[in-house]
Amino acid sequence: MSNQGVATDGTSSKAGEVKISEESKSLQGGKKLSVLIVDDDQLIQMMHVALVKASGVDAEILIAENGEVAVDLCRSGKSFDLILMDKHMPIMDGVRATRELRKMGVKSMIIGVTACSMDYEVKPFIEAGLNECYQKPLDPEMTKSILAKLSKGN
Amino acid sequence: MDALQLKRQLITFTELLFREGFLDEQFHQLQQLQDEKNPNFVVEVVSLFFEDSERLLNELAKALDQQNVDYKKVDAHVHQLKGSSSSIGAQRVQRVCIVFRNYCNEKNVEGCLKCLQQLKHEYAIVKTKLEALFSLEQQILAAGG
């Protein structure tokens, strides 16, 4: 398995600075949330890391710069509560990566985040196995919504 | 100019940028993500946008200069620029990208070239405006604000 393209952003705990509501903390019950951000764009990686951290949730965040790295991580035994998946990436795009992850039996919540807005672009992405798809850029409200759904799922 | 005067200037300047459509609500979201643990977040993200944009504009110029234009490649570059411009709230740049993608779909080289010129123009303006905004913020800090 190649570890190329994986960055560990470390953990974050922002007690007292919850910008998303308390319901996002309740899902954890003391357990750290495991998040994988899959995007080849460094700017988007920074944004998504900041959004997850700003939610106030205690999270371990990993970054994969393409779908193949994400698949390799899961194949190696890593599991994630939440995967934020970009669509257009080199080597392996988000559609293929999502399909592969679901074929492997990965049960993580996989949220597509794409700059695509047309139905014909988004439909195959959703059909590959996403829980939901959002248009870029993610904002705090969308992040809150995602975490709330994760909470209900748990 | 003292810190208070500079702060007023910053507020007026920022309001103007929003009113004239250079920036949209996404830029506010960016500012809200900045905190004491990440004090240079906005400057870092916008700097990445500058780097990405300049690289992509060069790639677009090369791609459109080819005998046989690869519209898929052009579209991919525009798509990426659309993503990063929308992420920082560079509204005018993002809007040109939307029109540009339509011309790519139509394989309209004239339209694409026109959009490229517009993109270069809008990018140059928003870059100047953002640099001026950051410069004002630095002046406020230096003045003890």
Side-chain angles (χ1 to χ4, degrees), chain B residues 94-137:
Chain B
Q94 185 199 351
R95 282 182 179 166
V96 178
C97 289
I98 293 169
V99 176
F100 201 152
R101 290 198 78 197
N102 289 336
Y103 282 124
C104 285
N105 283 340
E106 293 168 12
K107 294 184 166 53
N108 181 335
V109 71
E110 293 301 324
C112 286
L113 286 166
K114 191 175 149 204
C115 280
L116 179 58
Q117 289 317 307
Q118 276 178 310
L119 263 184
K120 284 178 176 175
H121 175 73
E122 291 298 343
Y123 167 70
I125 298 176
V126 80
K127 184 176 182 207
T128 306
K129 302 276 184 196
L130 285 167
E131 285 173 338
L133 190 135
F134 296 144
S135 169
L136 264 174
E137 286 176 344

Side-chain angles (χ1 to χ4, degrees), chain A residues 11 20 22 31 33 50 53 82 94 121 123:
Chain A
T11 61
I20 308 295
E22 286 298 318
K31 179 189 156 238
L33 196 71
K53 284 184 172 181
L82 174 65
E121 291 174 312
K123 197 163 169 252

